[in-house]
Amino acid sequence: MDLDLARRLSVSNGSKILLFVMDGLGGLPHPQTGRSELETARTPNLDALARESACGFTLPVAPGVTPGSGPGHLSLFGYDPLKFNIGRGALEAVGIDFDLRPQDIAARGNFCTVDGGGAISDRRAGRISSERCAELCAKLRGIRLDGAELFVEPVREHRFVLVLRGEGLSDAVADTDPQREGAQPLEPRATAPEGEATARLVARFVEEAKRVLAAESPANMLLLRGFARRPDWPSMSDVFKLRPAAVAHYPMYRGLAKLVGMEALPAGPAIDDSIATVRENWGRFDYFFVHYKYTDTAGEDGDFDRKVAKLEEVDAALPSLLALGPDVLMVAGDHSTPAVMAAHSWHPVPFMMRAPWTRSDACDAFNEVALQKGSLGTFPAMEALPLALAHAGRLTKYGA
Amino acid sequence: MDLDLARRLSVSNGSKILLFVMDGLGGLPHPQTGRSELETARTPNLDALARESACGFTLPVAPGVTPGSGPGHLSLFGYDPLKFNIGRGALEAVGIDFDLRPQDIAARGNFCTVDGGGAISDRRAGRISSERCAELCAKLRGIRLDGAELFVEPVREHRFVLVLRGEGLSDAVADTDPQREGAQPLEPRATAPEGEATARLVARFVEEAKRVLAAESPANMLLLRGFARRPDWPSMSDVFKLRPAAVAHYPMYRGLAKLVGMEALPAGPAIDDSIATVRENWGRFDYFFVHYKYTDTAGEDGDFDRKVAKLEEVDAALPSLLALGPDVLMVAGDHSTPAVMAAHSWHPVPFMMRAPWTRSDACDAFNEVALQKGSLGTFPAMEALPLALAHAGRLTKYGA
């Protein structure tokens, strides 16, 4: 749904909507058994819920498109992932809970290795440890620039975030990362006239950083890409009249949720921690996004059995989620991560919604085969929230 | 389908298309039986038709969006309901068969009750009778305005239509209805410079009306909203190369049909009247929109059993509809009106099309569960007409 239409039709009414996201939920059949992770897992609670839900599949972006975490989640939050883009640098910064301000410019950084001639021999500097990354970032923080405050924040392994804060900065700066080994790092160049001053600042930073890192090994240089500002998006409270909260342990998902105006609540690593957080805050919000990461991690590791086990872990926790009594409960995924592919994929993602006023359908289990009998069919993930709002009585009639 | 594309691809070929609309067709399960109105009704003729039709569900506007009668019908006529908007005043005027001209400005009016201090104590004046409404409208017609001819037409109960006819009028006038009780009626204000003269005329009308109504009780004041012109839309004959006719007893649906260039034929209240009208005019037109209201009325009244009975009434009349021998017959609804909700809803609407060249599907009955096996799936209602045109041999090839 177009956000202008959502803004026009949505009303607040005190009902509660809960979106439970299993990251990388969708799967594919195991070559030996012909059964997917969901078909293999014993999930009596999810299956029972499917029998009383409207079921189907979400399409995160478009047919055939494999989404990153950003688009996968934004669409579930009701935002068109093809319209609401976030620059890599900004995503990285909000993803580590950095307080990125509207005028800041953020870039994603890699420590890398260059040879004697200055050519890149390893774009990831042998994936140095996160500890080493933090030490190198601390050194880089000693660099002083005229006209901008500097932040260098470690992410994980060889990855860091560079943030410039100051007056009149611009994100019109090209990547210094040539994205291939054997090439020299590129000069920071302005991609538009307004980026020239910022490009000069970045060039100065790179020059200083080269000196600071010269004696290091293997991380004797850095690469920057995705210069970006924090996007200025309409909030879920403005558009959908919700008081939204995010319950996510991983900073990336908290960051994404904050970009659409959710309050990010503290959440421990375990699913029970998340549910406890929702329970404690039940009265303060009317929309909860609860994120469960481990299905995706197992999928990305190509670990079919662990993904099965994680699905069973969610299944065991489901009754305590239901006990909260949400008016509308959506069980969804941001994308598929089939263990047999060990990667994100484009496959439509299992979805169910238990709510008042759903139609009967013939789904007797929550898996990729049973859901094909669902009444919702395969639909754009960005329509899940409008549908939930309708079932919660939060959308008024369109047209006389 | 975009109208420009339709204009380019459509041809006339003498085939006949019949769209039979059961208003508010879609339903939801009865809590006691778990079966919807359509599942409950005995509809042997509709079920037999489903077995030889392509089946599915239409989505009138968008997932989660509950349509009013305007968008619900316009989409079935092939017009994008998000692009083709009709202002409330204009819809109300065409809905009572008022001959609204292109330069006229129409507003929806309510008789209301104000207290001694001028604050609104009842926005609907206790829903005065339609007779009383007509008497008050007749009194208001005595008001004379410099620069505009005035029409005040009763609708039903407390509702009426105000139409201003003259040179240089504008619909850029804000509502005088504050939409809540306890507030004063608002001054008619221009929402853009070109609305200033019209706003002054409206202010003058309201002032005079106040005097005329002062001694009335409870309808001692009026509220106006939705100032609008008659929309100027491309006709179905222009876009789709059809000679279209509407057979609808209720003025609202005749009005909507006329806005897309249909000829509105006289039709009595009973379904047999409508079918007789189609039969008498079979040679003159090649597209017939036949409207059946009573499924919606029963649904809005929350009367599950009456909706079931109305579906059975349609079922009984179906053979005489089939006997007309349309090349393409669509059985559709403008939206769902589940009796258990006693209101319009956002649920996809049962649909079937009997036509040459349809694929087989597994639908053995015409209801919300059986249609989930339909070959058409859930698709935008505005694509129903292009699909019918294709099956009628009325759409040429796109591209070489």
Side-chain angles (χ1 to χ4, degrees):
Chain A
M1 182 182 290
D2 173 85
L3 297 192
D4 285 334
L5 182 61
R7 197 180 273 113
R8 208 170 115 197
L9 299 183
S10 61
V11 292
S12 181
N13 70 353
S15 58
K16 305 264 187 208
I17 298 174
L18 201 160
L19 168 68
F20 185 83
V21 175
M22 281 180 263
D23 206 303
L25 172 61
L28 282 174
H30 192 287
Q32 251 113 66
T33 65
R35 292 200 307 275
S36 74
E37 300 91 321
L38 272 172
E39 284 178 280
T40 306
R42 274 177 309 169
T43 54
N45 294 310
L46 287 164
D47 295 344
L49 190 64
R51 287 190 285 274
E52 32 181 90
S53 293
C55 298
F57 295 90
T58 56
L59 201 55
V61 179
V65 175
T66 297
S69 300
H73 278 86
L74 286 171
S75 54
L76 286 173
F77 301 158
Y79 292 72
D80 184 345
L82 291 170
K83 281 190 195 156
F84 291 86
N85 287 298
I86 173 167
R88 182 76 215 198
L91 181 63
E92 210 74 24
V94 302
I96 55 165
D97 259 348
F98 183 87
D99 176 31
L100 193 65
R101 302 190 189 163
Q103 301 309 314
D104 293 351
I105 304 297
R108 151 79 185 263
N110 272 18
F111 288 108
C112 70
T113 311
V114 293
D115 63 22
I120 301 162
S121 57
D122 184 347
R123 282 185 61 245
R124 295 180 183 85
R127 290 191 185 273
I128 52 169
S129 69
S130 298
E131 292 69 33
R132 192 81 199 99
C133 181
E135 289 163 17
L136 294 174
C137 287
K139 287 194 180 190
L140 292 176
R141 271 183 217 126
I143 295 172
R144 292 287 165 261
L145 296 178
D146 283 349
E149 196 178 347
L150 191 75
F151 301 85
V152 187
E153 305 294 329
V155 177
R156 226 178 71 175
E157 298 176 339
H158 56 287
R159 300 197 293 262
F160 67 92
V161 174
L162 169 72
V163 177
L164 299 176
R165 178 171 295 165
E167 292 292 311
L169 297 178
S170 162
D171 58 3
V173 177
D175 295 355
T176 75
D177 185 349
Q179 299 266 10
R180 61 188 183 87
E181 284 155 9
Q184 304 266 340
L186 303 170
E187 288 299 310
R189 263 192 301 270
T191 57
E194 67 270 24
E196 279 172 16
T198 310
R200 279 195 299 274
L201 272 178
V202 173
R204 175 94 182 118
F205 168 74
V206 172
E207 199 181 297
E208 290 289 322
K210 200 171 172 179
R211 197 163 12 241
V212 169
L213 299 171
E216 302 291 336
S217 174
N220 62 354
M221 187 48 183
L222 52 75
L223 300 171
L224 300 169
R225 61 191 164 105
F227 287 88
R229 265 185 219 291
R230 177 198 165 101
D232 181 22
W233 291 340
S235 71
M236 290 181 78
S237 64
D238 169 35
V239 176
F240 300 114
K241 315 287 190 311
L242 292 165
R243 286 174 304 160
V247 181
H249 178 60
Y250 280 66
M252 163 79 86
Y253 309 97
R254 282 204 300 275
L256 280 165
K258 285 192 285 187
L259 288 176
V260 293
M262 290 191 217
E263 185 169 328
L265 302 175
I271 189 168
D272 290 338
D273 300 335
S274 295
I275 296 173
T277 297
V278 176
R279 193 181 303 114
E280 286 153 24
N281 291 278
W282 193 245
R284 289 178 56 215
F285 301 94
D286 45 27
Y287 170 95
F288 292 86
F289 151 55
V290 181
H291 183 256
Y292 180 80
K293 176 67 180 169
Y294 310 109
T295 33
D296 180 60
T297 322
E300 292 237 35
D301 289 348
D303 191 336
F304 193 97
D305 295 341
R306 196 168 95 235
K307 190 167 172 195
V308 168
K310 294 303 174 182
L311 293 167
E312 293 178 348
E313 177 176 87
V314 170
D315 190 75
L318 192 63
S320 59
L321 208 61
L322 287 167
L324 296 165
D327 296 283
V328 176
L329 170 63
M330 291 178 276
V331 177
D334 55 340
H335 53 76
S336 295
T337 305
V340 295
M341 293 179 70
H344 290 201
S345 82
W346 60 91
H347 300 87
V349 190
F351 177 88
M352 64 177 157
M353 183 177 66
R354 200 202 53 180
W357 315 123
T358 55
R359 283 194 171 142
S360 316
D361 61 30
C363 293
D364 55 0
F366 189 66
N367 65 56
E368 293 82 356
V369 172
L371 293 172
Q372 291 175 26
K373 295 181 187 155
S375 56
L376 298 177
T378 296
F379 66 99
M382 62 171 285
E383 301 299 352
L385 179 63
L387 208 55
L389 292 173
H391 283 268
R394 286 173 167 267
L395 283 185
T396 55
K397 191 159 67 174
Y398 171 73
Chain B
M1 183 183 290
D2 173 85
L3 297 193
D4 287 333
L5 182 61
R7 199 179 272 115
R8 211 170 115 195
L9 299 183
S10 61
V11 292
S12 180
N13 70 354
S15 59
K16 305 266 187 205
I17 297 173
L18 201 161
L19 168 68
F20 186 83
V21 175
M22 281 180 261
D23 206 303
L25 172 60
L28 281 176
H30 191 287
Q32 251 115 67
T33 65
R35 290 197 310 274
S36 73
E37 299 89 323
L38 272 171
E39 286 179 278
T40 305
R42 273 177 312 168
T43 54
N45 295 310
L46 287 164
D47 295 344
L49 190 65
R51 287 191 285 275
E52 31 181 270
S53 293
C55 299
F57 294 90
T58 55
L59 202 55
V61 179
V65 176
T66 296
S69 300
H73 278 86
L74 286 171
S75 55
L76 286 173
F77 302 158
Y79 293 71
D80 182 347
L82 291 169
K83 281 189 195 157
F84 292 87
N85 286 298
I86 174 167
R88 181 78 217 197
L91 181 64
E92 209 75 24
V94 302
I96 54 165
D97 261 347
F98 183 87
D99 176 29
L100 193 65
R101 302 189 188 164
Q103 300 310 314
D104 293 351
I105 303 297
R108 150 81 186 262
N110 271 20
F111 288 106
C112 69
T113 311
V114 292
D115 63 23
I120 301 163
S121 56
D122 183 346
R123 282 186 60 243
R124 297 180 182 85
R127 291 189 184 273
I128 52 169
S129 71
S130 300
E131 293 68 34
R132 193 78 199 99
C133 180
E135 290 163 18
L136 294 174
C137 286
K139 287 195 180 187
L140 293 177
R141 271 184 218 125
I143 297 173
R144 292 287 165 259
L145 296 179
D146 283 348
E149 197 179 349
L150 191 74
F151 301 85
V152 187
E153 305 294 330
V155 178
R156 226 178 71 176
E157 297 176 340
H158 56 287
R159 300 197 293 263
F160 68 90
V161 174
L162 169 72
V163 176
L164 299 176
R165 178 171 295 168
E167 292 293 309
L169 296 178
S170 160
D171 60 1
V173 178
D175 297 354
T176 74
D177 186 348
Q179 301 266 7
R180 61 190 182 86
E181 284 156 7
Q184 304 264 342
L186 303 171
E187 287 300 308
R189 261 192 302 269
T191 57
E194 66 270 24
E196 280 173 15
T198 310
R200 277 193 302 272
L201 273 177
V202 174
R204 175 96 182 115
F205 168 74
V206 172
E207 201 181 294
E208 291 289 321
K210 200 170 169 180
R211 198 163 13 241
V212 170
L213 300 171
E216 301 292 334
S217 175
N220 62 354
M221 186 48 183
L222 54 76
L223 301 170
L224 299 168
R225 62 189 163 106
F227 287 88
R229 265 186 216 293
R230 177 198 164 100
D232 180 22
W233 292 339
S235 72
M236 289 181 79
S237 64
D238 168 35
V239 176
F240 300 114
K241 316 289 191 308
L242 292 165
R243 287 174 303 159
V247 181
H249 177 61
Y250 280 66
M252 163 80 85
Y253 308 97
R254 282 204 302 275
L256 280 165
K258 286 192 283 186
L259 288 177
V260 293
M262 290 191 217
E263 185 169 327
L265 303 174
I271 188 166
D272 291 339
D273 300 335
S274 295
I275 295 173
T277 298
V278 176
R279 192 183 303 113
E280 287 153 23
N281 291 277
W282 192 245
R284 290 177 56 217
F285 300 94
D286 46 26
Y287 171 95
F288 292 86
F289 151 55
V290 180
H291 183 256
Y292 181 81
K293 177 67 180 171
Y294 310 108
T295 32
D296 181 61
T297 322
E300 293 237 37
D301 289 348
D303 191 335
F304 193 97
D305 295 342
R306 195 168 97 235
K307 190 168 172 195
V308 168
K310 294 303 174 182
L311 292 167
E312 293 178 349
E313 176 176 88
V314 171
D315 190 76
L318 192 63
S320 59
L321 209 60
L322 287 167
L324 297 165
D327 297 283
V328 176
L329 170 62
M330 291 178 276
V331 176
D334 57 339
H335 53 75
S336 295
T337 305
V340 294
M341 293 181 70
H344 289 201
S345 82
W346 61 91
H347 298 89
V349 191
F351 178 88
M352 62 178 158
M353 183 176 68
R354 199 201 57 179
W357 318 124
T358 54
R359 286 197 170 138
S360 317
D361 62 29
C363 293
D364 56 0
F366 189 66
N367 64 57
E368 294 82 356
V369 171
L371 294 171
Q372 290 175 25
K373 295 180 187 153
S375 56
L376 299 177
T378 297
F379 66 100
M382 63 173 284
E383 302 300 352
L385 179 62
L387 209 55
L389 293 172
H391 283 270
R394 287 174 166 267
L395 282 187
T396 56
K397 189 159 66 176
Y398 171 73

PDB file of all heavy atoms in Angstrom, chain A residues 270-288:
ATOM      1  N   ALA A 270      18.391 -14.775  23.796  1.00  0.00           N
ATOM      2  CA  ALA A 270      17.505 -15.942  23.705  1.00  0.00           C
ATOM      3  C   ALA A 270      16.074 -15.517  23.388  1.00  0.00           C
ATOM      4  O   ALA A 270      15.652 -14.407  23.712  1.00  0.00           O
ATOM      5  CB  ALA A 270      17.530 -16.725  25.012  1.00  0.00           C
ATOM      6  N   ILE A 271      15.341 -16.434  22.771  1.00  0.00           N
ATOM      7  CA  ILE A 271      13.965 -16.122  22.386  1.00  0.00           C
ATOM      8  C   ILE A 271      13.114 -15.800  23.616  1.00  0.00           C
ATOM      9  O   ILE A 271      12.245 -14.925  23.574  1.00  0.00           O
ATOM     10  CB  ILE A 271      13.360 -17.274  21.536  1.00  0.00           C
ATOM     11  CG1 ILE A 271      12.006 -16.855  20.948  1.00  0.00           C
ATOM     12  CG2 ILE A 271      13.260 -18.576  22.316  1.00  0.00           C
ATOM     13  CD1 ILE A 271      11.490 -17.799  19.886  1.00  0.00           C
ATOM     14  N   ASP A 272      13.407 -16.468  24.731  1.00  0.00           N
ATOM     15  CA  ASP A 272      12.642 -16.188  25.946  1.00  0.00           C
ATOM     16  C   ASP A 272      12.891 -14.772  26.451  1.00  0.00           C
ATOM     17  O   ASP A 272      12.000 -14.131  27.010  1.00  0.00           O
ATOM     18  CB  ASP A 272      12.978 -17.218  27.038  1.00  0.00           C
ATOM     19  CG  ASP A 272      12.436 -18.597  26.695  1.00  0.00           C
ATOM     20  OD1 ASP A 272      11.488 -18.688  25.877  1.00  0.00           O
ATOM     21  OD2 ASP A 272      12.966 -19.588  27.227  1.00  0.00           O
ATOM     22  N   ASP A 273      14.125 -14.280  26.264  1.00  0.00           N
ATOM     23  CA  ASP A 273      14.425 -12.886  26.622  1.00  0.00           C
ATOM     24  C   ASP A 273      13.514 -11.945  25.834  1.00  0.00           C
ATOM     25  O   ASP A 273      12.953 -10.985  26.365  1.00  0.00           O
ATOM     26  CB  ASP A 273      15.873 -12.517  26.248  1.00  0.00           C
ATOM     27  CG  ASP A 273      16.902 -13.375  26.950  1.00  0.00           C
ATOM     28  OD1 ASP A 273      16.589 -13.906  28.040  1.00  0.00           O
ATOM     29  OD2 ASP A 273      18.018 -13.524  26.405  1.00  0.00           O
ATOM     30  N   SER A 274      13.400 -12.231  24.528  1.00  0.00           N
ATOM     31  CA  SER A 274      12.595 -11.366  23.661  1.00  0.00           C
ATOM     32  C   SER A 274      11.147 -11.364  24.107  1.00  0.00           C
ATOM     33  O   SER A 274      10.499 -10.311  24.191  1.00  0.00           O
ATOM     34  CB  SER A 274      12.674 -11.839  22.211  1.00  0.00           C
ATOM     35  OG  SER A 274      13.983 -11.694  21.721  1.00  0.00           O
ATOM     36  N   ILE A 275      10.636 -12.561  24.387  1.00  0.00           N
ATOM     37  CA  ILE A 275       9.231 -12.649  24.782  1.00  0.00           C
ATOM     38  C   ILE A 275       9.003 -11.948  26.120  1.00  0.00           C
ATOM     39  O   ILE A 275       8.003 -11.255  26.314  1.00  0.00           O
ATOM     40  CB  ILE A 275       8.775 -14.129  24.794  1.00  0.00           C
ATOM     41  CG1 ILE A 275       8.853 -14.676  23.356  1.00  0.00           C
ATOM     42  CG2 ILE A 275       7.354 -14.263  25.341  1.00  0.00           C
ATOM     43  CD1 ILE A 275       8.606 -16.165  23.218  1.00  0.00           C
ATOM     44  N   ALA A 276       9.980 -12.084  27.024  1.00  0.00           N
ATOM     45  CA  ALA A 276       9.875 -11.391  28.314  1.00  0.00           C
ATOM     46  C   ALA A 276       9.833  -9.877  28.094  1.00  0.00           C
ATOM     47  O   ALA A 276       9.046  -9.163  28.728  1.00  0.00           O
ATOM     48  CB  ALA A 276      11.054 -11.770  29.220  1.00  0.00           C
ATOM     49  N   THR A 277      10.649  -9.387  27.170  1.00  0.00           N
ATOM     50  CA  THR A 277      10.660  -7.948  26.879  1.00  0.00           C
ATOM     51  C   THR A 277       9.303  -7.496  26.347  1.00  0.00           C
ATOM     52  O   THR A 277       8.779  -6.453  26.751  1.00  0.00           O
ATOM     53  CB  THR A 277      11.757  -7.621  25.841  1.00  0.00           C
ATOM     54  OG1 THR A 277      13.024  -7.957  26.407  1.00  0.00           O
ATOM     55  CG2 THR A 277      11.760  -6.149  25.481  1.00  0.00           C
ATOM     56  N   VAL A 278       8.733  -8.284  25.445  1.00  0.00           N
ATOM     57  CA  VAL A 278       7.414  -7.927  24.919  1.00  0.00           C
ATOM     58  C   VAL A 278       6.410  -7.882  26.069  1.00  0.00           C
ATOM     59  O   VAL A 278       5.632  -6.922  26.205  1.00  0.00           O
ATOM     60  CB  VAL A 278       6.940  -8.931  23.843  1.00  0.00           C
ATOM     61  CG1 VAL A 278       5.532  -8.589  23.379  1.00  0.00           C
ATOM     62  CG2 VAL A 278       7.897  -8.943  22.652  1.00  0.00           C
ATOM     63  N   ARG A 279       6.461  -8.897  26.904  1.00  0.00           N
ATOM     64  CA  ARG A 279       5.498  -8.988  28.009  1.00  0.00           C
ATOM     65  C   ARG A 279       5.588  -7.755  28.912  1.00  0.00           C
ATOM     66  O   ARG A 279       4.578  -7.150  29.272  1.00  0.00           O
ATOM     67  CB  ARG A 279       5.745 -10.262  28.816  1.00  0.00           C
ATOM     68  CG  ARG A 279       4.609 -10.607  29.781  1.00  0.00           C
ATOM     69  CD  ARG A 279       4.903 -11.873  30.585  1.00  0.00           C
ATOM     70  NE  ARG A 279       5.164 -13.035  29.748  1.00  0.00           N
ATOM     71  CZ  ARG A 279       6.341 -13.683  29.664  1.00  0.00           C
ATOM     72  NH1 ARG A 279       7.375 -13.283  30.400  1.00  0.00           N
ATOM     73  NH2 ARG A 279       6.481 -14.720  28.871  1.00  0.00           N
ATOM     74  N   GLU A 280       6.818  -7.363  29.243  1.00  0.00           N
ATOM     75  CA  GLU A 280       7.020  -6.226  30.158  1.00  0.00           C
ATOM     76  C   GLU A 280       6.547  -4.908  29.544  1.00  0.00           C
ATOM     77  O   GLU A 280       6.236  -3.964  30.260  1.00  0.00           O
ATOM     78  CB  GLU A 280       8.505  -6.094  30.517  1.00  0.00           C
ATOM     79  CG  GLU A 280       8.973  -7.165  31.490  1.00  0.00           C
ATOM     80  CD  GLU A 280      10.465  -7.463  31.332  1.00  0.00           C
ATOM     81  OE1 GLU A 280      11.203  -6.577  30.841  1.00  0.00           O
ATOM     82  OE2 GLU A 280      10.886  -8.600  31.669  1.00  0.00           O
ATOM     83  N   ASN A 281       6.542  -4.848  28.215  1.00  0.00           N
ATOM     84  CA  ASN A 281       6.206  -3.588  27.547  1.00  0.00           C
ATOM     85  C   ASN A 281       4.853  -3.631  26.848  1.00  0.00           C
ATOM     86  O   ASN A 281       4.544  -2.750  26.044  1.00  0.00           O
ATOM     87  CB  ASN A 281       7.300  -3.242  26.538  1.00  0.00           C
ATOM     88  CG  ASN A 281       8.592  -2.865  27.232  1.00  0.00           C
ATOM     89  OD1 ASN A 281       8.753  -1.728  27.658  1.00  0.00           O
ATOM     90  ND2 ASN A 281       9.486  -3.830  27.400  1.00  0.00           N
ATOM     91  N   TRP A 282       4.086  -4.660  27.158  1.00  0.00           N
ATOM     92  CA  TRP A 282       2.838  -4.908  26.428  1.00  0.00           C
ATOM     93  C   TRP A 282       1.911  -3.697  26.426  1.00  0.00           C
ATOM     94  O   TRP A 282       1.294  -3.364  25.422  1.00  0.00           O
ATOM     95  CB  TRP A 282       2.141  -6.133  27.010  1.00  0.00           C
ATOM     96  CG  TRP A 282       1.024  -6.657  26.159  1.00  0.00           C
ATOM     97  CD1 TRP A 282      -0.307  -6.683  26.493  1.00  0.00           C
ATOM     98  CD2 TRP A 282       1.130  -7.245  24.853  1.00  0.00           C
ATOM     99  NE1 TRP A 282      -1.032  -7.249  25.472  1.00  0.00           N
ATOM    100  CE2 TRP A 282      -0.168  -7.601  24.446  1.00  0.00           C
ATOM    101  CE3 TRP A 282       2.196  -7.491  23.998  1.00  0.00           C
ATOM    102  CZ2 TRP A 282      -0.445  -8.193  23.220  1.00  0.00           C
ATOM    103  CZ3 TRP A 282       1.942  -8.091  22.772  1.00  0.00           C
ATOM    104  CH2 TRP A 282       0.638  -8.428  22.388  1.00  0.00           C
ATOM    105  N   GLY A 283       1.832  -3.016  27.555  1.00  0.00           N
ATOM    106  CA  GLY A 283       0.897  -1.896  27.663  1.00  0.00           C
ATOM    107  C   GLY A 283       1.361  -0.641  26.938  1.00  0.00           C
ATOM    108  O   GLY A 283       0.554   0.227  26.605  1.00  0.00           O
ATOM    109  N   ARG A 284       2.648  -0.517  26.683  1.00  0.00           N
ATOM    110  CA  ARG A 284       3.197   0.753  26.169  1.00  0.00           C
ATOM    111  C   ARG A 284       3.131   0.877  24.657  1.00  0.00           C
ATOM    112  O   ARG A 284       3.303   1.968  24.117  1.00  0.00           O
ATOM    113  CB  ARG A 284       4.659   0.887  26.600  1.00  0.00           C
ATOM    114  CG  ARG A 284       4.851   1.149  28.077  1.00  0.00           C
ATOM    115  CD  ARG A 284       6.342   1.214  28.399  1.00  0.00           C
ATOM    116  NE  ARG A 284       7.030   2.213  27.579  1.00  0.00           N
ATOM    117  CZ  ARG A 284       8.275   2.096  27.114  1.00  0.00           C
ATOM    118  NH1 ARG A 284       8.972   1.006  27.382  1.00  0.00           N
ATOM    119  NH2 ARG A 284       8.817   3.051  26.380  1.00  0.00           N
ATOM    120  N   PHE A 285       2.966  -0.240  23.961  1.00  0.00           N
ATOM    121  CA  PHE A 285       3.010  -0.207  22.495  1.00  0.00           C
ATOM    122  C   PHE A 285       1.825  -0.979  21.927  1.00  0.00           C
ATOM    123  O   PHE A 285       1.223  -1.788  22.620  1.00  0.00           O
ATOM    124  CB  PHE A 285       4.320  -0.829  21.989  1.00  0.00           C
ATOM    125  CG  PHE A 285       5.538  -0.114  22.512  1.00  0.00           C
ATOM    126  CD1 PHE A 285       6.189  -0.548  23.664  1.00  0.00           C
ATOM    127  CD2 PHE A 285       6.028   1.015  21.858  1.00  0.00           C
ATOM    128  CE1 PHE A 285       7.290   0.131  24.158  1.00  0.00           C
ATOM    129  CE2 PHE A 285       7.133   1.695  22.339  1.00  0.00           C
ATOM    130  CZ  PHE A 285       7.768   1.241  23.494  1.00  0.00           C
ATOM    131  N   ASP A 286       1.543  -0.755  20.659  1.00  0.00           N
ATOM    132  CA  ASP A 286       0.481  -1.562  20.045  1.00  0.00           C
ATOM    133  C   ASP A 286       0.969  -2.336  18.830  1.00  0.00           C
ATOM    134  O   ASP A 286       0.192  -3.009  18.158  1.00  0.00           O
ATOM    135  CB  ASP A 286      -0.783  -0.743  19.730  1.00  0.00           C
ATOM    136  CG  ASP A 286      -0.466   0.588  19.085  1.00  0.00           C
ATOM    137  OD1 ASP A 286       0.584   0.679  18.427  1.00  0.00           O
ATOM    138  OD2 ASP A 286      -1.275   1.521  19.218  1.00  0.00           O
ATOM    139  N   TYR A 287       2.264  -2.247  18.540  1.00  0.00           N
ATOM    140  CA  TYR A 287       2.864  -3.048  17.468  1.00  0.00           C
ATOM    141  C   TYR A 287       4.221  -3.509  17.969  1.00  0.00           C
ATOM    142  O   TYR A 287       5.021  -2.695  18.432  1.00  0.00           O
ATOM    143  CB  TYR A 287       3.018  -2.209  16.203  1.00  0.00           C
ATOM    144  CG  TYR A 287       3.840  -2.857  15.096  1.00  0.00           C
ATOM    145  CD1 TYR A 287       3.213  -3.571  14.074  1.00  0.00           C
ATOM    146  CD2 TYR A 287       5.230  -2.756  15.077  1.00  0.00           C
ATOM    147  CE1 TYR A 287       3.957  -4.159  13.055  1.00  0.00           C
ATOM    148  CE2 TYR A 287       5.985  -3.339  14.057  1.00  0.00           C
ATOM    149  CZ  TYR A 287       5.340  -4.044  13.057  1.00  0.00           C
ATOM    150  OH  TYR A 287       6.074  -4.625  12.049  1.00  0.00           O
ATOM    151  N   PHE A 288       4.463  -4.803  17.897  1.00  0.00           N
ATOM    152  CA  PHE A 288       5.752  -5.354  18.302  1.00  0.00           C
ATOM    153  C   PHE A 288       6.359  -6.133  17.142  1.00  0.00           C
ATOM    154  O   PHE A 288       5.703  -7.013  16.572  1.00  0.00           O
ATOM    155  CB  PHE A 288       5.598  -6.307  19.490  1.00  0.00           C
ATOM    156  CG  PHE A 288       5.203  -5.617  20.764  1.00  0.00           C
ATOM    157  CD1 PHE A 288       3.865  -5.383  21.055  1.00  0.00           C
ATOM    158  CD2 PHE A 288       6.164  -5.199  21.668  1.00  0.00           C
ATOM    159  CE1 PHE A 288       3.491  -4.748  22.228  1.00  0.00           C
ATOM    160  CE2 PHE A 288       5.804  -4.553  22.852  1.00  0.00           C
ATOM    161  CZ  PHE A 288       4.460  -4.326  23.130  1.00  0.00           C
TER     162      PHE A 288
END
